[in-house]
Amino acid sequence: MLRRAELPVDTVELARFLIGKMLVRMLAEGVVGGRVVETEAYNIGDAAGHAYRGMTHRNRALFLERGHAYVYLAYGISLMLNVSSEAPGVGAGVLIRAIEPTDGIGIMARNRGIERVRDLARGPGRLCAALEIHRRLDGIDLCQAGPLWLGWDGQASGEIGQSKRIGITRAADSPLRFYVLGSSFVSGPRVLNR
């Protein structure tokens, strides 16, 4: 399990740091999770970030000390998971866009209704569906044992690429997306994954 002291107190640094780390979900059926292969940073004052207009009931988890989960519904369709990334009271976060499944692949396949491992958690909505991440997990501490946590198994992340973020219109050209080069589990168009 990652200790909070290991997490950089900087959104962009945290987005890069989380590449290669483990996202683990404890379910009644067993443990599911995998290696983080893609993230996006949403900095302090970022017009594309949910904290941009200040703290609300919906986004208050982004203002918690770094290492807490912010779970929200995007476009009324898909849940998404962010990790709060700054000091308490400062709103910013890192979107976990994709993982390479390593544990509980059969459970994830049932949750998603598909068998192709590559597509189980490639994209933030798919990831949350595969791991049964729901709004009740909003605000939990990802640096403590519980239903959802961050870890590290000692393996190197591989070479990290950087590109503009995906699926946004504000500050869309900011190079704040990080991913494992050559990973087939990364989402988005191939032109951004070189």
Side-chain angles (χ1 to χ4, degrees), residues 20 162 192:
Q162 187 172 354
L192 290 181

PDB file of all heavy atoms in Angstrom, residues 20 162 192:
ATOM      1  N   GLY A  20       2.271   2.988 -13.318  1.00  0.00           N
ATOM      2  CA  GLY A  20       2.965   1.792 -12.850  1.00  0.00           C
ATOM      3  C   GLY A  20       2.572   1.338 -11.457  1.00  0.00           C
ATOM      4  O   GLY A  20       2.921   0.237 -11.042  1.00  0.00           O
ATOM      5  N   GLN A 162       3.785  11.293 -22.865  1.00  0.00           N
ATOM      6  CA  GLN A 162       3.019  12.456 -22.431  1.00  0.00           C
ATOM      7  C   GLN A 162       2.312  13.038 -23.649  1.00  0.00           C
ATOM      8  O   GLN A 162       2.881  13.107 -24.734  1.00  0.00           O
ATOM      9  CB  GLN A 162       3.976  13.483 -21.820  1.00  0.00           C
ATOM     10  CG  GLN A 162       3.311  14.657 -21.178  1.00  0.00           C
ATOM     11  CD  GLN A 162       4.317  15.536 -20.416  1.00  0.00           C
ATOM     12  OE1 GLN A 162       5.490  15.208 -20.288  1.00  0.00           O
ATOM     13  NE2 GLN A 162       3.836  16.655 -19.912  1.00  0.00           N
ATOM     14  N   LEU A 192      -2.132   9.727 -30.293  1.00  0.00           N
ATOM     15  CA  LEU A 192      -1.716  10.308 -29.018  1.00  0.00           C
ATOM     16  C   LEU A 192      -0.854   9.343 -28.197  1.00  0.00           C
ATOM     17  O   LEU A 192      -0.304   9.738 -27.172  1.00  0.00           O
ATOM     18  CB  LEU A 192      -2.935  10.691 -28.175  1.00  0.00           C
ATOM     19  CG  LEU A 192      -3.755  11.867 -28.651  1.00  0.00           C
ATOM     20  CD1 LEU A 192      -4.913  12.130 -27.709  1.00  0.00           C
ATOM     21  CD2 LEU A 192      -2.910  13.121 -28.797  1.00  0.00           C
TER      22      LEU A 192
END
